[in-house]
Every structure is written in structure tokens, then in C-alpha cells.
Amino acid sequence: MLQYPVSRISDLTKSKFEAIVLSGLDEKDQRNLRKYLTNILSVSEEYQLDPFWVLSIVMVESRFNPGVKSHKNAQGLMQIRPDTALHIVTGK
């Protein structure tokens, strides 16, 4: 496991952050996450969200597999239900 002597995420470059995140995952999860990691980091930065928090939700909800669907019809990396997604996008 890689270790960096930092106390804040803002001290890391994106490549170091990616290396830290990927080093803690098995090969299958690494493969799945690599497809989305850059976008997750960009969106986290854009909306000022902690990328570790976002990655934690994605890991728990879908194991980085966008094709997962719950018995309550929650879908995608973060397992959002269609009615919730509609509300987020339209405010209705």
C-alpha cells in the first residue's frame, strides 16, 4: 500500500490521489473504478464534495459497477432511484 505523509487532500496531486485510492482496491474494483475515477474527481471538485466521501458511496452502493440495480429500482454507481434522479434534475 502506498503511503504519503499528507494531512489534507488538497496537498495531493490528482495522480497521487488516484494512486492512493486504487492501491486500496482489489484488481476487479481497480478495473471498474479506473473508468470513472477522473469523472468522479472532476465532479467532486466542481461541486466541492469530498472525493473520498463520493468514492465511499460508490464503493458501498455499486462496487464501481454502473449496471447494478437494486430490488427497489435504484440504479447506477450511486444507486439513485429514477424518481429521486428526476427530482434532483428538475426540482419536481
Side-chain angles (χ1 to χ4, degrees):
M1 179 174 283
L2 299 174
Q3 293 184 353
Y4 296 97
V6 295
S7 57
R8 297 178 311 192
I9 192 166
S10 60
D11 295 336
L12 296 173
T13 64
K14 282 188 178 181
S15 61
K16 283 185 182 178
F17 178 81
E18 289 178 8
I20 289 170
V21 169
L22 291 170
S23 72
L25 301 173
D26 64 31
E27 288 182 33
K28 181 180 178 185
D29 288 339
Q30 285 181 12
R31 278 192 311 276
N32 287 337
L33 176 57
R34 279 186 207 281
K35 301 171 199 169
Y36 307 105
L37 188 52
T38 300
N39 287 339
I40 289 171
L41 292 177
S42 294
V43 170
S44 296
E45 186 174 22
E46 180 181 348
Y47 291 96
Q48 298 181 345
L49 299 170
D50 181 340
F52 285 114
W53 178 74
V54 175
L55 287 165
S56 297
I57 291 171
V58 174
M59 173 76 171
V60 168
E61 294 296 335
S62 68
R63 281 307 271 234
F64 313 112
N65 179 352
V68 173
K69 194 175 206 180
S70 78
H71 66 282
K72 293 196 173 196
N73 200 29
Q75 303 170 34
L77 294 173
M78 295 182 88
Q79 291 293 282
I80 306 292
R81 292 190 344 207
D83 56 336
T84 303
L86 181 64
H87 175 72
I88 290 168
V89 173
T90 67
K92 296 179 183 180

